[in-house]
Amino acid sequence: MAFLARQLSARPVRVSFPCVSVFRLASSGVMDEMGLGLSRSPLERLEFDNVALRRLPLDPVEDPGVRQVKGACFSRVSPQPVTKPRFVAVSHEALALLGLSGDEVLNDPLAAEYLSGSKIMPGSEPAAHCYCGHQFGQFAGQLGDGAACYLGEVKVPAGQDPELLLENPSGRWEIQVKGAGMTPYSRQADGRKVLRSSIREFLCSEAMFFLGIPSTRAGSVVTSDSKVIRDVFYNGNARHERCSVVLRIAPTFLRFGSFEIFKQQDELTGRQGPSYGRDEIRGQMLDYVIDMFYPEIQQNHQDRVERNVAFFREVVRRTARLVAQWQCVGFCHGVLNTDNMSILGVTVDYGPYGFMDRFDPDFICNASDNSGRYSYKAQPAICRWNLMKLAEALDPELPPEQANTVLEDYLDLYNSFYMENMRKKLGLLKKTEPEDVMLVTELLQTMHNTGADFTNTFRSLSQISCPAEEDSEVEEESVRAATELLLQQCASLEEMKAANKPSMDPRELSMLLSLAQSNPTLFHMISDRMTISRQLDRMARLKDLMESSEEELRAKNVDEWTRWIKRYRKRLSAELDGQSDVASAQEERASVMNSSNPRVVLRNYIAQNAIDAAENGDFTEVQRVLKVLEKPFTCQPGLELPTSVGIPHVRERDEVEDQQQEVASTSTTRNPLPYDSKPPVWAQEICVT
């Protein structure tokens, strides 16, 4: 059920305008004139200080319409109202960043209008940011906020947790609404977002924060009676969907692509940045970013070049740390273009993301990524490539030779962050051994070979005890029990067959193999060797699986896990060397592991179940999932199972589109599963683009 605003003692009067419904208290005007704040919306009390619009150039053209924006970082816009906006859910924790009470916001008759862009808060100055980007490796020219709308910067309220301000020294939180209509950067789109994409962004923004991974935040998601047409799977089956809007919160939403507006004409695509030649704006933007968000660097470096090098070094460090954290929870962003990389090193822009279920280094969460450019295993290298493009965009403020020197440290930084996290996940706390890298590598290979669930396998490791001085029979039994524990997370034979089925038609594959031999130039224009190699590997694995039985697969899995567990327990025994209190060491190890290996992540099926319920008018599952994700490392009594198991995309009575446009899943019945379960069979049908 949707959150409903409680009526105040004064009866609200509804005044209707085209495409917007506005609620005002009949007595509000009198109250305001008397100087009483009792009727004011809490959102009207936010204190804005919109520094970005004062320090960065604004587009002088304020006319609506899509256009190239030259010599400016922002364009003023007018968010377009939606009909009957109402809350799907709010994040109390995220709203607290702005000094807002979630309950107070939910009970405010005006809040859904303000947080959907249908009504403008006092002090807000709606604008859209101009940026460019390399998309799938190609420079795309001007992009910009095609659906997001900067509302302004809210001053940090007194008493904010200092921990939250460690990487936000600006003293302000930028707030955006995403899905509030067209901007000069909307291109061929309408600037709207729908319920499914808005719920996914809302939930994942908060999920990442509570996993301890730097991220933009989401304060609310609002839906409405306004409709847009969307072709969900790009297959010609379009349908009407509800316009929905997410409130996004971050110190800033500036990104790598913000600095690419100055790019000269690209040799490959022929496109150039709209502000090419305006080097003074690049310097202006760099001064703003460093001064506001990296003040220690600003204070510690008098020389401009040294300052800029130090800034780039810190961006490299934060980016390496971020992608290492992604890898350690099995998160795949899906669209790691330069315009989706935050200048602060936080996760931004949640589109076709995915948390891995069965471990697969070639995991691709975005069904549109045919080449696997943004696969799970490619993310560390892609982030380095994006950093290289940022360095190019900062030239001449950042000399290329010095940028290259900084980039040489990226891989070592990434590996250091990655292994630091992995040692915690494996409970290797007392010592750092050279063999640890191989132990992690062999674990992941065993998980891949056996189709083990990424999240649940790591979570289970804390149940494997450190070996004490045991006889051989006891040790053998301990290994056997540990093996049985991890076998529960392995895929069945049928699941492995489905996972290894080539995505390419055999005839197409044969044609490409022939083309690679006869006409390599043409082959590289339409495919690549990595894609072909991946398909051939799948075919080989599938052939082996087709010739195996369930019993043979289990025996093979037992052998693989037994070998790794013996190595792991041997390494754990080294942790106890010199420890007088073994029980205390075991307890500490389990505690660290259980706070490093989440019990629950936002798997696609969990998000989809909440979306399906919401599309049928039941918002309680979205709210419930948020509560679960706020404490991902612990079991919350009463929150083990979903309360709503939605039937996908059931049409509402007032919808009139052709019934042939239904895109429901073939599964119409679903049994509720605990949030920490491996995904159900129907989850294989989920396609995110």
Side-chain angles (χ1 to χ4, degrees):
M1 180 178 290
F3 283 113
L4 299 177
R6 284 193 294 226
Q7 292 188 353
L8 303 181
S9 56
R11 191 179 228 4
V13 177
R14 181 171 177 176
V15 184
S16 296
F17 298 93
C19 300
V20 61
S21 59
V22 181
F23 291 83
R24 295 186 184 276
L25 292 175
S27 59
S28 63
V30 176
M31 298 284 279
D32 287 343
E33 289 175 10
M34 294 173 62
L36 300 178
L38 296 177
S39 65
R40 290 184 66 190
S41 163
L43 293 160
E44 294 171 359
R45 297 196 294 267
L46 293 178
E47 187 177 359
F48 283 90
D49 185 15
N50 306 324
V51 179
L53 300 190
R54 295 199 302 271
R55 292 191 54 178
L56 298 176
L58 271 167
D59 179 8
V61 180
E62 296 190 16
D63 297 335
V66 175
R67 61 184 181 275
Q68 283 283 302
V69 175
K70 300 180 179 181
C73 298
F74 287 92
S75 300
R76 294 193 184 276
V77 298
S78 297
Q80 290 139 26
V82 292
T83 304
K84 295 183 180 178
R86 53 199 176 274
F87 285 111
V88 175
V90 303
S91 168
H92 294 255
E93 297 257 5
L95 290 176
L97 296 174
L98 309 178
L100 295 170
S101 158
D103 290 334
E104 194 177 7
V105 168
L106 289 169
N107 292 328
D108 174 18
L110 295 175
E113 293 189 80
Y114 280 131
L115 298 184
S116 64
S118 300
K119 188 176 177 69
I120 306 302
M121 290 172 275
S124 171
E125 298 181 77
H129 176 44
C130 180
Y131 54 81
C132 294
H134 281 79
Q135 299 193 320
F136 287 87
Q138 307 298 319
F139 185 65
Q142 177 179 293
L143 300 170
D145 287 334
C149 174
Y150 163 104
L151 293 181
E153 297 155 66
V154 176
K155 284 188 175 181
V156 169
Q160 186 135 116
D161 184 353
E163 288 291 320
L164 295 174
L165 301 178
L166 288 177
E167 293 184 2
N168 180 18
S170 70
R172 297 164 185 79
W173 291 105
E174 180 181 327
I175 60 174
Q176 289 187 345
V177 283
K178 186 174 181 179
M182 290 186 65
T183 76
Y185 313 104
S186 295
R187 289 168 285 171
Q188 290 81 36
D190 54 21
R192 292 298 191 189
K193 295 297 177 181
V194 296
L195 195 54
R196 54 192 163 82
S197 60
S198 299
I199 288 173
R200 281 176 57 85
E201 172 138 15
F202 172 76
L203 289 176
C204 201
S205 299
E206 294 304 280
M208 294 292 271
F209 171 78
F210 288 105
L211 285 169
I213 299 174
S215 174
T216 59
R217 303 294 299 277
S220 64
V221 57
V222 174
T223 194
S224 71
D225 283 354
S226 299
K227 303 285 182 70
V228 288
I229 295 177
R230 291 289 186 267
D231 186 348
V232 183
F233 302 117
Y234 305 101
N235 61 3
N237 292 319
R239 66 186 181 103
H240 286 88
E241 297 191 62
R242 294 185 180 277
C243 295
S244 303
V245 181
V246 176
L247 175 71
R248 307 203 300 179
I249 306 169
T252 181
F253 285 88
L254 295 181
R255 50 202 67 211
F256 290 10
S258 301
F259 290 93
E260 291 189 293
I261 63 173
F262 314 105
K263 180 176 169 54
Q264 64 185 7
Q265 187 177 57
D266 186 79
E267 293 181 359
L268 188 61
T269 66
R271 300 187 179 100
Q272 71 177 31
S275 294
Y276 169 64
R278 299 294 301 272
D279 289 352
E280 77 282 2
I281 300 178
R282 181 196 289 109
Q284 193 175 345
M285 191 187 305
L286 196 55
D287 290 344
Y288 168 75
V289 168
I290 298 174
D291 183 39
M292 293 296 294
F293 308 109
Y294 297 87
E296 288 188 3
I297 290 175
Q298 180 72 31
Q299 294 163 11
N300 294 337
H301 297 278
Q302 300 301 314
D303 180 82
R304 185 175 183 84
V305 171
E306 289 180 2
R307 181 203 68 168
N308 295 346
V309 171
F311 159 70
F312 183 62
R313 181 177 291 109
E314 179 61 14
V315 174
V316 168
R317 188 192 71 83
R318 292 189 188 189
T319 303
R321 178 190 63 181
L322 179 67
V323 69
Q325 290 175 292
W326 289 350
Q327 301 300 95
C328 288
V329 295
F331 175 79
C332 201
H333 185 282
V335 198
L336 277 178
N337 301 325
T338 56
D339 53 290
N340 293 332
M341 297 283 294
S342 166
I343 202 67
L344 300 183
V346 304
T347 318
V348 66
D349 290 343
Y350 293 93
Y353 65 82
F355 285 87
M356 260 194 305
D357 295 318
R358 175 186 52 79
F359 177 70
D360 180 1
D362 291 319
F363 172 62
I364 300 170
C365 60
N366 179 1
S368 304
D369 185 6
N370 298 319
S371 69
R373 177 180 175 84
Y374 298 142
S375 68
Y376 169 80
K377 73 177 182 183
Q379 289 186 136
I382 285 296
C383 285
R384 186 190 184 284
W385 190 89
N386 288 341
L387 285 163
M388 182 177 67
K389 292 302 170 184
L390 172 62
E392 291 175 5
L394 293 175
D395 181 26
E397 290 279 355
L398 178 68
E401 60 278 5
Q402 291 178 263
N404 290 334
T405 300
V406 172
L407 277 172
E408 288 175 0
D409 294 333
Y410 171 82
L411 185 58
D412 288 341
L413 283 167
Y414 166 76
N415 285 332
S416 176
F417 285 124
Y418 179 78
M419 284 306 301
E420 179 184 353
N421 289 331
M422 276 296 179
R423 286 190 177 95
K424 291 178 182 177
K425 291 172 76 70
L426 269 65
L428 309 178
L429 312 177
K430 305 298 183 182
K431 298 182 177 181
T432 298
E433 302 286 356
E435 68 195 60
D436 293 348
V437 174
M438 185 55 66
L439 186 68
V440 171
T441 301
E442 290 175 348
L443 169 61
L444 296 177
Q445 186 62 58
T446 303
M447 289 169 66
H448 185 215
N449 293 345
T450 62
D453 186 87
F454 185 90
T455 300
N456 290 359
T457 298
F458 275 105
R459 183 72 178 185
S460 299
L461 294 180
S462 65
Q463 299 177 50
I464 300 177
S465 62
C466 294
E469 293 183 6
E470 302 171 342
D471 59 38
S472 59
E473 288 187 9
V474 175
E475 171 65 15
E476 187 176 328
E477 175 57 26
S478 297
V479 172
R480 188 199 64 78
T483 300
E484 287 298 323
L485 174 70
L486 298 182
L487 284 175
Q488 296 174 24
Q489 302 305 329
C490 296
S492 68
L493 179 60
E494 290 306 311
E495 288 171 333
M496 290 294 284
K497 287 178 182 178
N500 286 286
K501 183 179 179 181
S503 58
M504 189 178 291
D505 185 281
R507 292 168 296 182
E508 181 184 0
L509 181 59
S510 177
M511 182 272 290
L512 288 172
L513 287 170
S514 175
L515 193 62
Q517 296 294 324
S518 62
N519 194 336
T521 302
L522 180 58
F523 168 78
H524 285 295
M525 292 175 63
I526 60 178
S527 188
D528 60 87
R529 295 191 181 278
M530 186 179 296
T531 300
I532 299 301
S533 176
R534 188 163 56 244
Q535 295 297 316
L536 291 173
D537 287 345
R538 282 190 169 193
M539 288 181 67
R541 287 197 297 268
L542 181 60
K543 181 177 181 296
D544 290 341
L545 290 165
M546 295 298 291
E547 297 171 353
S548 299
S549 66
E550 194 75 59
E551 292 74 19
E552 290 171 331
L553 179 64
R554 176 182 167 81
K556 176 176 173 291
N557 291 349
V558 167
D559 288 343
E560 293 219 30
W561 277 116
T562 299
R563 282 196 301 272
W564 185 81
I565 289 168
K566 287 180 177 178
R567 294 190 186 101
Y568 181 45
R569 284 172 59 82
K570 181 180 178 182
R571 174 63 180 85
L572 289 177
S573 67
E575 289 286 297
L576 299 179
D577 290 346
Q579 297 293 315
S580 58
D581 189 345
V582 174
S584 177
Q586 293 266 35
E587 185 178 338
E588 180 190 4
R589 170 178 165 267
S591 175
V592 170
M593 292 178 74
N594 287 335
S595 62
S596 303
N597 295 312
R599 172 181 161 270
V600 178
V601 294
L602 184 60
R603 298 176 189 262
N604 271 341
Y605 86 89
I606 295 175
Q608 190 61 45
N609 189 55
I611 290 166
D612 290 337
E615 289 187 329
N616 292 325
D618 180 2
F619 302 150
T620 56
E621 184 59 18
V622 177
Q623 299 155 14
R624 187 177 180 84
V625 169
L626 177 61
K627 288 182 181 179
V628 172
L629 296 173
E630 286 176 342
K631 295 182 178 179
F633 299 100
T634 60
C635 179
Q636 301 181 64
L639 290 175
E640 296 89 353
L641 287 165
T643 55
S644 302
V645 182
I647 297 175
H649 311 307
V650 172
R651 293 161 47 82
E652 296 186 53
R653 293 178 184 176
D654 63 341
E655 292 183 344
V656 296
E657 67 267 24
D658 193 315
Q659 294 197 21
Q660 296 303 312
Q661 294 175 338
E662 193 63 60
V663 292
S665 164
T666 55
S667 301
T668 57
T669 59
R670 298 176 183 171
N671 296 319
L673 289 174
Y675 293 114
D676 61 353
S677 292
K678 292 167 61 180
V681 174
W682 63 262
Q684 298 175 18
E685 303 168 11
I686 298 172
C687 177
V688 185
T689 64

